[in-house]
Amino acid sequence: WNSATDEAKFYLNGVLRQTIISTTQNIVSPLSTDNLIMGRWLTSGSFWDGMIDDLRIYNYVLTAGEIATLATVPRRTKVLIRR
């Protein structure tokens, strides 16, 4: 989630697959006080029907290049991205 642009971007194997803009696609912007819920829309009972095998959470927005790099790193390998 990029709060500066109100966009949520979804990547699969390092490739951008979907961008949702909250102002045009009727999603609710998360607040810093919201609970973190994975696999379910914030405002509905729709649940993810599948597995999430690699989840990473950052306190800043990654670039597309950083995401592509992370997708090629084997799991359980530590990667340092310097800002």
Side-chain angles (χ1 to χ4, degrees):
W1 176 260
N2 184 341
S3 61
T5 61
D6 278 343
E7 293 178 330
K9 294 187 177 191
F10 298 91
Y11 288 80
L12 177 62
N13 298 326
V15 178
L16 179 64
R17 295 295 184 185
Q18 183 178 19
T19 299
I20 296 176
I21 302 169
S22 70
T23 56
T24 62
Q25 293 177 300
N26 199 27
I27 63 172
V28 176
S29 302
L31 304 173
S32 60
T33 56
D34 285 336
N35 292 327
L36 177 62
I37 300 171
M38 301 307 302
R40 182 176 73 107
W41 283 108
L42 183 63
T43 59
S44 76
S46 298
F47 292 90
W48 173 259
D49 184 18
M51 295 176 55
I52 300 173
D53 68 344
D54 188 5
L55 173 67
R56 302 173 196 198
I57 300 171
Y58 298 86
N59 63 351
Y60 55 89
V61 177
L62 296 172
T63 67
E66 291 169 333
I67 292 169
T69 298
L70 289 170
T72 64
V73 175
R75 280 190 245 163
R76 298 191 179 135
T77 301
K78 291 184 179 181
V79 177
L80 177 63
I81 298 175
R82 297 180 187 259
R83 291 273 168 170

Coordinates of all heavy atoms in Angstrom, one line a residue:
W1 N 0.8 -1.2 0.0 CA 0.0 0.0 0.0 C 0.9 1.2 0.0 O 1.8 1.4 0.8 CB -0.9 0.0 1.2 CG -1.7 1.2 1.3 CD1 -1.5 2.3 2.1 CD2 -2.9 1.5 0.6 NE1 -2.5 3.2 1.9 CE2 -3.3 2.8 1.0 CE3 -3.6 0.8 -0.3 CZ2 -4.5 3.4 0.5 CZ3 -4.8 1.4 -0.9 CH2 -5.2 2.7 -0.4
N2 N 0.6 2.1 -0.9 CA 1.4 3.4 -1.0 C 0.4 4.5 -0.6 O -0.5 4.8 -1.4 CB 1.9 3.6 -2.4 CG 2.8 4.9 -2.5 OD1 2.7 5.8 -1.7 ND2 3.6 4.9 -3.5
S3 N 0.5 5.0 0.6 CA -0.5 6.0 1.0 C -0.4 7.3 0.3 O -1.3 8.1 0.2 CB -0.3 6.3 2.5 OG 0.9 6.7 2.8
A4 N 0.8 7.6 -0.3 CA 1.0 8.8 -1.1 C 0.1 8.8 -2.3 O -0.3 9.9 -2.8 CB 2.4 9.1 -1.4
T5 N -0.1 7.7 -2.9 CA -0.8 7.5 -4.2 C -2.1 6.8 -4.1 O -2.9 6.7 -5.0 CB 0.1 6.8 -5.2 OG1 0.3 5.5 -4.8 CG2 1.4 7.5 -5.5
D6 N -2.4 6.3 -2.9 CA -3.6 5.5 -2.6 C -3.7 4.3 -3.5 O -4.8 3.9 -4.0 CB -4.9 6.3 -2.8 CG -5.3 7.1 -1.6 OD1 -4.7 6.8 -0.5 OD2 -6.1 8.1 -1.7
E7 N -2.5 3.7 -3.7 CA -2.5 2.5 -4.6 C -2.0 1.2 -3.8 O -1.2 1.3 -3.0 CB -1.4 2.7 -5.7 CG -1.8 3.7 -6.7 CD -0.6 3.9 -7.7 OE1 0.5 3.7 -7.4 OE2 -1.0 4.2 -8.9
A8 N -2.7 0.1 -4.1 CA -2.2 -1.2 -3.7 C -1.7 -1.9 -4.9 O -2.5 -2.0 -5.9 CB -3.3 -1.9 -3.0
K9 N -0.5 -2.4 -4.9 CA 0.1 -3.1 -6.1 C 0.3 -4.6 -5.7 O 0.8 -4.8 -4.6 CB 1.3 -2.5 -6.6 CG 1.1 -1.1 -7.1 CD 2.4 -0.5 -7.7 CE 2.0 0.9 -8.3 NZ 3.1 1.4 -9.1
F10 N -0.1 -5.4 -6.6 CA 0.1 -6.9 -6.4 C 1.1 -7.4 -7.4 O 0.9 -7.3 -8.6 CB -1.3 -7.6 -6.5 CG -2.2 -7.1 -5.4 CD1 -3.1 -6.0 -5.7 CD2 -2.3 -7.7 -4.2 CE1 -4.0 -5.6 -4.7 CE2 -3.2 -7.2 -3.2 CZ -4.0 -6.2 -3.5
Y11 N 2.1 -8.2 -6.9 CA 3.1 -8.7 -7.7 C 3.1 -10.3 -7.6 O 2.7 -10.8 -6.5 CB 4.5 -8.3 -7.2 CG 4.8 -6.8 -7.5 CD1 4.3 -5.8 -6.8 CD2 5.6 -6.5 -8.6 CE1 4.5 -4.5 -7.1 CE2 5.8 -5.2 -8.9 CZ 5.3 -4.2 -8.1 OH 5.6 -2.9 -8.4
L12 N 3.4 -10.9 -8.6 CA 3.5 -12.4 -8.7 C 4.9 -12.7 -9.2 O 5.2 -12.3 -10.4 CB 2.4 -13.0 -9.5 CG 2.5 -14.5 -9.7 CD1 2.3 -15.2 -8.3 CD2 1.4 -15.0 -10.6
N13 N 5.7 -13.3 -8.5 CA 7.1 -13.7 -8.9 C 7.8 -12.5 -9.4 O 8.6 -12.6 -10.4 CB 7.0 -14.8 -9.9 CG 6.4 -16.1 -9.4 OD1 6.6 -16.4 -8.2 ND2 5.7 -16.8 -10.2
G14 N 7.7 -11.4 -8.7 CA 8.4 -10.2 -9.1 C 7.8 -9.3 -10.2 O 8.4 -8.3 -10.6
V15 N 6.7 -9.7 -10.7 CA 6.1 -9.0 -11.9 C 4.8 -8.4 -11.4 O 3.9 -9.1 -10.8 CB 5.8 -10.0 -13.1 CG1 5.2 -9.3 -14.2 CG2 7.1 -10.6 -13.5
L16 N 4.6 -7.1 -11.7 CA 3.4 -6.4 -11.3 C 2.2 -7.0 -12.1 O 2.2 -7.1 -13.3 CB 3.5 -4.9 -11.7 CG 2.2 -4.1 -11.4 CD1 1.9 -4.1 -9.9 CD2 2.4 -2.7 -11.9
R17 N 1.2 -7.5 -11.3 CA 0.0 -8.1 -11.9 C -1.3 -7.2 -11.8 O -2.1 -7.3 -12.7 CB -0.3 -9.5 -11.3 CG 0.8 -10.5 -11.5 CD 0.9 -10.8 -12.9 NE 1.9 -11.9 -13.1 CZ 2.2 -12.4 -14.2 NH1 1.7 -11.9 -15.3 NH2 3.1 -13.3 -14.3
Q18 N -1.4 -6.4 -10.8 CA -2.6 -5.6 -10.6 C -2.3 -4.4 -9.8 O -1.5 -4.5 -8.8 CB -3.7 -6.4 -10.0 CG -5.0 -5.7 -9.9 CD -6.1 -6.6 -9.2 OE1 -5.8 -7.6 -8.6 NE2 -7.3 -6.2 -9.4
T19 N -2.8 -3.3 -10.1 CA -2.8 -2.1 -9.3 C -4.2 -1.6 -9.0 O -5.0 -1.5 -9.9 CB -2.1 -0.9 -10.0 OG1 -0.7 -1.3 -10.3 CG2 -2.0 0.4 -9.2
I20 N -4.5 -1.4 -7.8 CA -5.8 -1.0 -7.3 C -5.7 0.4 -6.8 O -4.9 0.6 -5.9 CB -6.5 -1.9 -6.3 CG1 -6.7 -3.3 -6.9 CG2 -7.8 -1.3 -5.8 CD1 -7.2 -4.3 -6.0
I21 N -6.4 1.4 -7.3 CA -6.4 2.7 -6.8 C -7.7 3.0 -6.0 O -8.8 2.8 -6.5 CB -6.3 3.7 -8.0 CG1 -5.1 3.5 -8.8 CG2 -6.3 5.2 -7.4 CD1 -5.0 4.2 -10.1
S22 N -7.5 3.3 -4.7 CA -8.7 3.3 -3.8 C -9.7 4.4 -4.2 O -10.9 4.2 -4.0 CB -8.2 3.6 -2.4 OG -7.8 4.9 -2.2
T23 N -9.3 5.5 -4.9 CA -10.3 6.5 -5.2 C -11.1 6.1 -6.4 O -12.2 6.7 -6.6 CB -9.6 7.8 -5.5 OG1 -8.6 7.6 -6.6 CG2 -8.9 8.4 -4.3
T24 N -10.7 5.1 -7.2 CA -11.5 4.8 -8.4 C -12.0 3.4 -8.3 O -12.9 3.0 -9.1 CB -10.6 4.9 -9.7 OG1 -9.5 4.0 -9.6 CG2 -10.1 6.3 -9.9
Q25 N -11.6 2.5 -7.4 CA -12.0 1.2 -7.4 C -12.6 0.7 -6.1 O -12.7 -0.4 -5.7 CB -10.8 0.2 -7.8 CG -10.4 0.5 -9.2 CD -9.3 -0.4 -9.6 OE1 -8.2 -0.2 -9.0 NE2 -9.4 -1.2 -10.6
N26 N -13.1 1.7 -5.3 CA -14.0 1.5 -4.2 C -13.3 0.5 -3.1 O -13.9 -0.4 -2.6 CB -15.3 0.9 -4.6 CG -16.4 1.1 -3.5 OD1 -16.2 2.0 -2.7 ND2 -17.3 0.2 -3.5
I27 N -12.1 0.8 -2.8 CA -11.5 0.1 -1.6 C -11.2 1.2 -0.5 O -11.2 2.4 -0.8 CB -10.2 -0.6 -1.9 CG1 -9.1 0.3 -2.4 CG2 -10.4 -1.7 -2.9 CD1 -7.7 -0.3 -2.5
V28 N -11.1 0.7 0.7 CA -11.0 1.6 1.8 C -9.5 1.7 2.2 O -8.8 0.7 2.3 CB -11.8 1.1 3.0 CG1 -11.5 1.9 4.2 CG2 -13.2 1.0 2.7
S29 N -9.0 2.9 2.3 CA -7.6 3.1 2.7 C -7.4 2.6 4.1 O -8.1 3.0 5.0 CB -7.2 4.6 2.6 OG -7.5 5.1 1.3
P30 N -6.3 1.8 4.3 CA -6.0 1.3 5.6 C -5.5 2.5 6.5 O -4.9 3.4 6.0 CB -5.0 0.3 5.4 CG -4.3 0.6 4.1 CD -5.4 1.3 3.3
L31 N -5.8 2.4 7.8 CA -5.3 3.4 8.7 C -4.2 2.8 9.5 O -4.1 1.5 9.6 CB -6.4 3.8 9.7 CG -7.7 4.4 9.0 CD1 -8.8 4.6 10.1 CD2 -7.3 5.7 8.3
S32 N -3.3 3.6 10.1 CA -2.3 3.0 10.9 C -2.8 2.2 12.1 O -2.1 1.4 12.7 CB -1.3 4.1 11.4 OG -2.0 5.0 12.1
T33 N -4.0 2.5 12.5 CA -4.6 1.8 13.6 C -5.4 0.5 13.2 O -5.9 -0.2 14.1 CB -5.6 2.7 14.4 OG1 -6.6 3.2 13.5 CG2 -4.8 3.9 15.0
D34 N -5.5 0.2 11.9 CA -6.2 -1.0 11.5 C -5.4 -2.2 11.8 O -4.2 -2.2 11.8 CB -6.5 -0.9 9.9 CG -7.6 0.0 9.6 OD1 -8.4 0.3 10.4 OD2 -7.6 0.5 8.4
N35 N -6.1 -3.3 12.1 CA -5.4 -4.6 12.2 C -4.9 -5.1 10.8 O -5.5 -4.8 9.8 CB -6.4 -5.7 12.7 CG -6.8 -5.4 14.2 OD1 -6.0 -4.9 14.9 ND2 -8.0 -5.7 14.5
L36 N -3.8 -5.7 10.8 CA -3.2 -6.3 9.6 C -3.9 -7.7 9.4 O -3.8 -8.6 10.2 CB -1.7 -6.5 9.7 CG -1.1 -7.2 8.5 CD1 -1.3 -6.3 7.2 CD2 0.4 -7.4 8.8
I37 N -4.6 -7.8 8.3 CA -5.4 -9.0 7.9 C -4.9 -9.4 6.6 O -5.0 -8.7 5.6 CB -6.9 -8.7 7.9 CG1 -7.4 -8.3 9.3 CG2 -7.6 -10.0 7.5 CD1 -8.8 -7.8 9.3
M38 N -4.4 -10.6 6.4 CA -3.9 -11.1 5.2 C -5.0 -12.2 4.6 O -5.5 -13.0 5.4 CB -2.6 -11.8 5.3 CG -1.5 -10.9 5.9 SD -1.3 -9.4 5.0 CE -0.9 -10.0 3.3
G39 N -5.2 -12.1 3.3 CA -6.1 -13.1 2.7 C -7.6 -12.7 2.8 O -8.4 -13.6 2.5
R40 N -7.9 -11.5 3.1 CA -9.3 -11.1 3.2 C -9.4 -9.6 2.9 O -8.6 -8.8 3.3 CB -9.9 -11.3 4.6 CG -11.4 -11.0 4.7 CD -11.9 -11.4 6.0 NE -11.5 -10.5 7.0 CZ -12.2 -9.5 7.6 NH1 -13.5 -9.4 7.3 NH2 -11.7 -8.7 8.5
W41 N -10.4 -9.2 2.1 CA -10.7 -7.8 1.9 C -11.0 -7.1 3.2 O -11.7 -7.7 4.0 CB -11.8 -7.6 0.9 CG -11.4 -7.8 -0.5 CD1 -11.7 -8.9 -1.3 CD2 -10.5 -7.0 -1.3 NE1 -11.1 -8.8 -2.5 CE2 -10.4 -7.6 -2.6 CE3 -9.8 -5.8 -1.1 CZ2 -9.6 -7.1 -3.6 CZ3 -9.0 -5.3 -2.1 CH2 -8.9 -5.9 -3.3
L42 N -10.6 -5.9 3.4 CA -10.8 -5.2 4.6 C -12.3 -5.0 4.9 O -12.7 -5.0 6.1 CB -10.1 -3.8 4.5 CG -10.1 -2.9 5.7 CD1 -9.4 -3.5 6.9 CD2 -9.5 -1.5 5.4
T43 N -13.1 -4.7 3.9 CA -14.5 -4.4 4.2 C -15.5 -5.4 3.8 O -16.7 -5.2 3.8 CB -14.8 -3.1 3.4 OG1 -14.6 -3.4 2.0 CG2 -14.0 -1.9 3.8
S44 N -15.1 -6.7 3.5 CA -16.0 -7.7 3.2 C -15.6 -9.0 3.7 O -14.6 -9.2 4.3 CB -16.2 -7.8 1.6 OG -15.1 -8.4 1.1
G45 N -16.4 -10.0 3.4 CA -16.2 -11.4 3.9 C -15.5 -12.2 2.8 O -15.4 -13.4 2.9
S46 N -15.0 -11.6 1.8 CA -14.3 -12.3 0.7 C -12.9 -12.8 1.2 O -12.1 -12.0 1.7 CB -14.1 -11.4 -0.5 OG -15.4 -11.0 -1.1
F47 N -12.6 -14.1 1.1 CA -11.4 -14.6 1.6 C -10.6 -15.2 0.4 O -11.1 -15.6 -0.6 CB -11.7 -15.8 2.6 CG -12.3 -15.3 3.8 CD1 -13.6 -15.2 4.0 CD2 -11.4 -14.9 4.9 CE1 -14.2 -14.7 5.2 CE2 -12.0 -14.4 6.1 CZ -13.4 -14.3 6.2
W48 N -9.3 -15.2 0.6 CA -8.3 -15.7 -0.4 C -8.5 -17.3 -0.3 O -8.5 -17.9 0.7 CB -6.9 -15.3 0.0 CG -5.8 -16.0 -0.8 CD1 -5.1 -17.1 -0.4 CD2 -5.4 -15.7 -2.1 NE1 -4.2 -17.4 -1.4 CE2 -4.4 -16.6 -2.5 CE3 -5.8 -14.7 -3.1 CZ2 -3.8 -16.5 -3.7 CZ3 -5.2 -14.7 -4.3 CH2 -4.2 -15.6 -4.6
D49 N -8.6 -17.9 -1.5 CA -8.8 -19.3 -1.6 C -7.5 -19.9 -2.2 O -7.4 -20.1 -3.4 CB -10.0 -19.7 -2.4 CG -10.2 -21.2 -2.5 OD1 -9.7 -21.9 -1.6 OD2 -10.9 -21.7 -3.4
G50 N -6.5 -20.1 -1.3 CA -5.2 -20.6 -1.8 C -4.2 -20.4 -0.7 O -4.5 -20.3 0.5
M51 N -2.9 -20.5 -1.1 CA -1.8 -20.4 -0.1 C -1.0 -19.2 -0.4 O -0.9 -18.7 -1.5 CB -0.9 -21.7 -0.3 CG -1.6 -23.0 0.1 SD -0.5 -24.4 -0.2 CE 0.9 -24.0 0.8
I52 N -0.5 -18.6 0.7 CA 0.5 -17.5 0.6 C 1.8 -18.1 1.2 O 1.9 -18.4 2.4 CB 0.0 -16.3 1.4 CG1 -1.4 -15.8 0.9 CG2 1.0 -15.2 1.4 CD1 -2.0 -14.7 1.7
D53 N 2.8 -18.3 0.3 CA 4.0 -18.9 0.7 C 5.1 -18.0 1.0 O 6.1 -18.4 1.6 CB 4.4 -20.0 -0.3 CG 4.8 -19.4 -1.6 OD1 4.6 -18.2 -1.8 OD2 5.5 -20.1 -2.4
D54 N 5.0 -16.7 0.7 CA 6.1 -15.8 0.9 C 5.5 -14.4 1.1 O 5.0 -13.8 0.2 CB 7.1 -15.8 -0.3 CG 8.3 -15.0 -0.1 OD1 8.5 -14.5 1.1 OD2 9.1 -14.8 -1.0
L55 N 5.6 -14.0 2.4 CA 5.0 -12.7 2.7 C 6.1 -11.9 3.4 O 6.8 -12.3 4.3 CB 3.8 -12.9 3.7 CG 3.2 -11.6 4.3 CD1 2.6 -10.8 3.3 CD2 2.3 -12.0 5.4
R56 N 6.2 -10.7 2.9 CA 7.2 -9.7 3.5 C 6.6 -8.4 3.7 O 5.8 -7.9 2.8 CB 8.4 -9.6 2.5 CG 9.1 -10.9 2.2 CD 10.1 -10.7 1.2 NE 10.5 -12.0 0.6 CZ 11.6 -12.2 -0.1 NH1 12.5 -11.3 -0.3 NH2 11.9 -13.4 -0.5
I57 N 6.8 -7.8 4.8 CA 6.2 -6.5 5.2 C 7.3 -5.5 5.4 O 8.3 -5.8 6.1 CB 5.3 -6.7 6.4 CG1 4.2 -7.7 6.2 CG2 4.8 -5.3 6.8 CD1 3.4 -8.0 7.4
Y58 N 7.2 -4.4 4.8 CA 8.2 -3.3 4.9 C 7.5 -2.0 5.4 O 6.3 -1.9 5.2 CB 8.9 -3.0 3.5 CG 9.6 -4.2 3.0 CD1 9.0 -5.2 2.3 CD2 11.0 -4.4 3.3 CE1 9.7 -6.3 1.8 CE2 11.7 -5.5 2.8 CZ 11.0 -6.4 2.1 OH 11.7 -7.5 1.6
N59 N 8.3 -1.2 6.0 CA 7.7 0.1 6.5 C 7.9 1.2 5.5 O 7.9 2.4 5.8 CB 8.2 0.5 7.8 CG 9.7 0.7 7.9 OD1 10.4 0.5 6.9 ND2 10.2 1.2 9.0
Y60 N 8.2 0.9 4.2 CA 8.4 1.9 3.1 C 8.0 1.2 1.8 O 7.8 0.0 1.8 CB 9.8 2.4 3.1 CG 10.8 1.3 3.0 CD1 11.2 0.8 1.7 CD2 11.4 0.8 4.1 CE1 12.2 -0.2 1.6 CE2 12.3 -0.3 4.0 CZ 12.7 -0.7 2.8 OH 13.6 -1.7 2.7
V61 N 7.7 2.0 0.8 CA 7.3 1.5 -0.5 C 8.6 1.0 -1.3 O 9.5 1.7 -1.4 CB 6.6 2.6 -1.3 CG1 6.2 2.0 -2.7 CG2 5.3 3.0 -0.5
L62 N 8.5 -0.3 -1.7 CA 9.6 -0.8 -2.5 C 9.4 -0.4 -4.0 O 8.3 -0.2 -4.4 CB 9.6 -2.3 -2.5 CG 9.9 -3.0 -1.1 CD1 9.7 -4.5 -1.2 CD2 11.3 -2.7 -0.7
T63 N 10.5 -0.2 -4.7 CA 10.5 0.0 -6.1 C 10.2 -1.3 -6.8 O 10.4 -2.4 -6.3 CB 11.8 0.7 -6.6 OG1 12.8 -0.3 -6.6 CG2 12.2 1.9 -5.9
A64 N 9.8 -1.2 -8.1 CA 9.5 -2.4 -8.9 C 10.8 -3.2 -9.0 O 10.8 -4.4 -9.0 CB 9.0 -2.0 -10.3
G65 N 11.9 -2.5 -9.2 CA 13.2 -3.2 -9.3 C 13.6 -3.9 -8.0 O 14.1 -5.0 -8.1
E66 N 13.3 -3.3 -6.9 CA 13.6 -4.0 -5.6 C 12.7 -5.3 -5.5 O 13.2 -6.3 -5.0 CB 13.4 -3.1 -4.4 CG 14.4 -2.0 -4.3 CD 14.0 -0.9 -3.3 OE1 12.8 -0.7 -3.1 OE2 14.9 -0.3 -2.8
I67 N 11.5 -5.2 -5.9 CA 10.6 -6.3 -5.8 C 11.0 -7.4 -6.8 O 11.1 -8.6 -6.4 CB 9.1 -5.9 -6.1 CG1 8.6 -5.0 -5.0 CG2 8.2 -7.1 -6.3 CD1 7.3 -4.3 -5.2
A68 N 11.5 -7.1 -8.0 CA 12.0 -8.0 -8.9 C 13.2 -8.7 -8.4 O 13.4 -10.0 -8.5 CB 12.3 -7.4 -10.3
T69 N 14.1 -8.0 -7.7 CA 15.3 -8.6 -7.1 C 14.9 -9.6 -6.0 O 15.4 -10.7 -6.0 CB 16.2 -7.5 -6.6 OG1 16.6 -6.7 -7.7 CG2 17.4 -8.1 -5.9
L70 N 14.0 -9.2 -5.2 CA 13.6 -10.0 -4.0 C 13.0 -11.3 -4.5 O 13.1 -12.4 -3.9 CB 12.7 -9.3 -3.1 CG 13.3 -8.2 -2.3 CD1 12.2 -7.3 -1.6 CD2 14.3 -8.7 -1.3
A71 N 12.3 -11.3 -5.7 CA 11.6 -12.5 -6.2 C 12.6 -13.5 -6.7 O 12.3 -14.7 -6.8 CB 10.7 -12.1 -7.4
T72 N 13.8 -13.1 -6.9 CA 14.8 -14.1 -7.4 C 15.7 -14.6 -6.3 O 16.5 -15.5 -6.5 CB 15.8 -13.4 -8.5 OG1 16.5 -12.3 -7.8 CG2 15.0 -12.9 -9.6
V73 N 15.6 -14.1 -5.1 CA 16.4 -14.6 -4.0 C 15.7 -15.8 -3.3 O 14.5 -15.7 -3.1 CB 16.5 -13.4 -2.9 CG1 17.3 -13.9 -1.7 CG2 17.2 -12.2 -3.6
P74 N 16.5 -16.8 -3.1 CA 15.9 -18.0 -2.4 C 15.3 -17.6 -1.1 O 15.8 -16.7 -0.4 CB 17.0 -19.0 -2.3 CG 18.1 -18.5 -3.2 CD 17.9 -17.0 -3.4
R75 N 14.2 -18.3 -0.7 CA 13.7 -18.0 0.7 C 14.7 -18.3 1.7 O 15.6 -19.1 1.6 CB 12.5 -18.9 0.9 CG 11.2 -18.4 0.2 CD 10.0 -19.1 0.7 NE 9.5 -19.8 -0.5 CZ 8.7 -20.8 -0.5 NH1 8.3 -21.3 0.6 NH2 8.3 -21.4 -1.6
R76 N 14.5 -17.6 2.9 CA 15.4 -17.7 4.0 C 16.8 -17.1 3.7 O 17.7 -17.4 4.4 CB 15.5 -19.2 4.5 CG 14.2 -19.7 5.0 CD 14.3 -21.0 5.7 NE 13.0 -21.4 6.1 CZ 12.6 -22.7 6.0 NH1 13.3 -23.6 5.5 NH2 11.4 -23.0 6.4
T77 N 16.9 -16.3 2.7 CA 18.1 -15.6 2.4 C 17.9 -14.2 2.8 O 16.9 -13.6 2.4 CB 18.5 -15.7 0.9 OG1 18.7 -17.0 0.6 CG2 19.8 -14.9 0.7
K78 N 18.8 -13.6 3.6 CA 18.6 -12.2 4.1 C 19.1 -11.3 3.0 O 20.2 -11.5 2.4 CB 19.4 -12.0 5.4 CG 18.8 -12.7 6.5 CD 19.4 -12.4 7.8 CE 18.8 -13.1 8.9 NZ 19.4 -12.8 10.2
V79 N 18.3 -10.3 2.7 CA 18.6 -9.3 1.7 C 18.6 -7.9 2.3 O 17.6 -7.6 3.0 CB 17.7 -9.3 0.5 CG1 18.0 -8.3 -0.5 CG2 17.7 -10.7 -0.2
L80 N 19.6 -7.1 2.1 CA 19.6 -5.8 2.7 C 19.4 -4.8 1.6 O 20.1 -4.8 0.6 CB 21.0 -5.5 3.3 CG 21.2 -4.1 3.9 CD1 20.2 -3.8 5.0 CD2 22.6 -3.9 4.4
I81 N 18.3 -4.0 1.7 CA 18.0 -2.9 0.8 C 18.3 -1.6 1.5 O 17.7 -1.3 2.5 CB 16.6 -3.0 0.3 CG1 16.3 -4.3 -0.5 CG2 16.3 -1.8 -0.6 CD1 14.9 -4.5 -0.9
R82 N 19.3 -0.9 1.0 CA 19.7 0.3 1.7 C 18.9 1.5 1.2 O 18.7 1.6 0.0 CB 21.2 0.5 1.5 CG 22.0 -0.5 2.2 CD 23.5 -0.3 2.0 NE 24.3 -1.4 2.5 CZ 24.8 -1.4 3.7 NH1 24.8 -0.4 4.5 NH2 25.5 -2.4 4.1
R83 N 18.5 2.4 2.0 CA 17.8 3.6 1.6 C 18.6 4.8 2.0 O 19.3 4.9 2.9 CB 16.4 3.7 2.4 CG 15.5 2.7 2.0 CD 14.7 3.2 0.8 NE 13.9 2.1 0.2 CZ 13.1 2.3 -0.7 NH1 12.8 3.5 -1.2 NH2 12.4 1.3 -1.3

